[in-house]
Amino acid sequence: MKFYQLTAEQRRAKLTADGVQLLPVDPKTLAGLEQLSENVIGSLTLPLGLIPRLIIQGRPYRVPLATEEASVIAAANHGASCFNQAGGVQTSSLRRGLIGQLILAVTPAFKLADLRTQLPRLKLATNQSFLRLIAHGGGIKRLSARQVERVAYVEVLVDPAEAMGANKVNSILEFLGKQLQSFPGVSERLAAILSNAPSQFASAKVILPLALVGGGETANRLAQLSQVGQQDARRGVTNNKGIMNGVDAALLAFGQDFRAVEAACGMQASRTGVYRSLSRWQVIDDQLVGELTLPLATGVVGGSLASRPEVRQNIAMAGIKTAQELAEVIVSVGLASNFAALLALSTDGIQHGHMKLQTRQLVAGLAASPSEQQAVLQVLLARQSYGLAEAEAILTELREKNEYRN
Ligand code: MEV
């Protein structure tokens, strides 16, 4: 039998027989995961942290974040707390729909104008074949065609209602592909696939009093640093990494397709032909104003959501009901993460806070009892010294002292 044809238990047994050491997995968990993915051999656990309160459009949200990086949760919470003190985040959305592409190789016999005359009929026929989508409030918004040399693009814009929509768009494209397979001049179907190009946008904006960010000098430095991200791609990409720290953690917690969002954000950042920061911070009328727009193709139904109880728990805990609301929560987390990073960079630098948090992870890896780990952590924090060698030396010192006392 091929590896993929084995059960997860059989795959694990095979690996063990090959000398691979595997951590134990609860059989029920393994059986559940096997339904979700392919070639499953185990599970990978991530901590789920929380922003207990982030006010968006006047409403407080609990926002779960899945990440192994403590500073991501700390930064998002710090940003959220500052935003809350200023009344929270204002959000808006521009959800154009999801783009799909039927890409056809064509011969000189192909006439684009002839294909275009067929589009209204095709649009009607497609909507009639996807009545469930219409019943959920979605459907085809636009069907268009263009040609570049020997390639024709039939592009569909689909309102996916409350789903992310990838499966639906791909099914619609399959349907269109069949309708057009014998269209004069079409020699081959090259692809029928959704495009991850930005089209579902969510924006967040905050207005912070200068006192909240430590005064005008800090605010101006922060705004200047933001401006640098508009001019210098190397800084821009790092600024955007600070945004994605929170965005990716939220996408994971809410079971969203983070690969699609990451790809779309890369394109969005380069939309002018030069890679730039996705956010902008400015001092306007003695206030610090921050803005961020992200392409966020989110969904609250469909995909694997129904079979992932922990994701359903997270969506319910946040009280999120629609795909648009979810996107607005996620972009707000991105802005909070970005703000906290820029504020740290414009004041103490980030290393101090980071190292403090990472020291907890380092100490957790020491071969020591929980009380010894706690004692080592206290000494490291007091000395502001964060290396493993230092931690081990402190542990030895503490043990020697205790022996002497005994
Ligand atoms: C680190 O994870 C993220 C930052 O580098 C973001 C930034 O520089 O803006 C601190």
Side-chain angles (χ1 to χ4, degrees):
M1 270 214 266
K2 299 253 170 57
F3 195 72
Y4 77 89
Q5 291 168 322
L6 302 175
T7 64
E9 290 291 5
Q10 288 169 331
R11 283 182 212 114
R12 288 172 60 82
K14 186 170 172 13
L15 289 170
T16 308
D18 288 351
V20 177
Q21 293 198 340
L22 291 172
L23 292 169
V25 192
D26 164 48
K28 228 175 116 192
T29 308
L30 195 62
L33 294 176
E34 180 146 40
Q35 303 305 315
L36 267 183
S37 192
E38 188 69 16
N39 269 8
V40 169
I41 58 152
S43 68
L44 180 77
T45 310
L46 276 181
L48 186 67
L50 188 71
I51 305 176
R53 188 177 162 84
L54 173 57
I55 301 172
I56 302 168
Q57 295 288 84
R59 193 193 133 180
Y61 284 85
R62 285 191 189 96
V63 190
L65 299 176
T67 176
E68 80 299 347
E69 178 56 69
S71 64
V72 165
I73 311 268
N77 268 292
H78 184 211
S81 148
C82 295
F83 290 4
N84 292 345
Q85 288 174 59
V89 190
Q90 297 307 313
T91 54
S92 59
S93 285
L94 176 63
R95 294 179 75 78
R96 293 199 169 120
L98 220 57
I99 302 164
Q101 294 188 304
L102 176 63
I103 308 177
L104 304 166
V106 296
T107 66
F110 174 79
K111 296 281 174 286
L112 181 65
D114 290 352
L115 175 64
R116 283 183 170 152
T117 62
Q118 298 296 314
L119 295 180
R121 181 190 63 76
L122 274 173
K123 185 177 168 192
L124 200 68
T126 313
N127 271 330
Q128 276 167 357
S129 299
F130 290 86
L131 287 174
R132 272 191 60 195
L133 179 60
I134 308 246
H136 285 110
I140 296 192
K141 292 171 77 172
R142 198 177 65 214
L143 190 57
S144 57
R146 62 193 168 88
Q147 183 178 3
V148 180
E149 297 172 356
R150 292 287 176 83
V151 179
Y153 298 82
V154 178
E155 292 188 330
V156 64
L157 190 65
V158 178
D159 176 351
E162 296 309 332
M164 185 269 190
N167 281 337
K168 194 59 74 189
V169 171
N170 290 336
S171 304
I172 288 173
L173 290 165
E174 288 293 340
F175 175 85
L176 286 169
K178 285 205 184 92
Q179 303 289 310
L180 291 172
Q181 66 193 1
S182 49
F183 190 84
V186 170
S187 60
E188 215 181 330
R189 182 179 107 174
L190 295 178
I193 187 74
L194 95 155
S195 162
N196 292 111
S199 61
Q200 303 280 62
F201 297 98
S203 301
K205 180 175 181 176
V206 283
I207 301 177
L208 306 174
L210 296 188
L212 205 62
V213 295
E217 220 175 277
T218 306
N220 280 322
R221 242 193 332 266
L222 192 154
Q224 193 179 357
L225 184 57
S226 170
Q227 180 61 23
V228 172
Q230 299 292 331
Q231 294 158 354
D232 179 66
R234 288 183 180 163
R235 174 57 212 154
V237 72
T238 316
N239 176 82
N240 294 345
K241 194 273 182 176
I243 295 169
M244 300 318 282
N245 271 344
V247 168
D248 280 346
L251 289 167
L252 275 170
F254 289 123
Q256 303 296 300
D257 185 346
F258 56 91
R259 290 90 52 201
V261 172
E262 281 283 351
C265 285
M267 184 169 176
Q268 177 71 4
S270 318
R271 67 195 179 285
T272 58
V274 182
Y275 189 98
R276 294 181 196 288
S277 288
L278 289 159
S279 60
R280 186 183 291 275
W281 291 88
Q282 290 167 284
V283 176
I284 302 172
D285 295 337
D286 280 341
Q287 304 185 98
L288 181 66
V289 180
E291 288 170 285
L292 173 65
T293 294
L294 293 179
L296 284 161
T298 48
V300 290
V301 294
S304 62
L305 293 180
S307 39
R308 298 186 64 198
E310 74 276 40
V311 168
R312 289 205 312 275
Q313 160 206 281
N314 293 344
I315 295 178
M317 171 166 54
I320 290 170
K321 298 278 185 291
T322 66
Q324 173 172 329
E325 189 182 10
L326 176 56
E328 291 183 8
V329 167
I330 293 171
V331 72
S332 302
V333 173
L335 192 62
S337 305
N338 177 227
F339 167 72
L342 294 184
L343 185 63
L345 289 171
S346 312
T347 49
D348 295 345
I350 61 147
Q351 205 52 4
H352 180 59
H354 258 225
M355 292 316 291
K356 247 165 100 175
L357 290 167
Q358 281 175 9
T359 301
R360 271 190 8 219
Q361 286 177 357
L362 180 140
V363 166
L366 283 181
S369 69
S371 61
E372 283 176 326
Q373 290 181 349
Q374 198 50 37
V376 172
L377 180 64
Q378 294 312 323
V379 179
L380 284 171
L381 293 179
R383 290 188 193 168
Q384 298 199 0
S385 153
Y386 307 113
L388 178 62
E390 179 88 9
E392 283 169 346
I394 294 168
L395 180 63
T396 311
E397 264 172 48
L398 286 171
R399 283 180 174 165
E400 280 171 3
K401 264 194 215 157
N402 279 344
E403 259 170 39
Y404 177 72
R405 272 203 213 114
N406 293 341

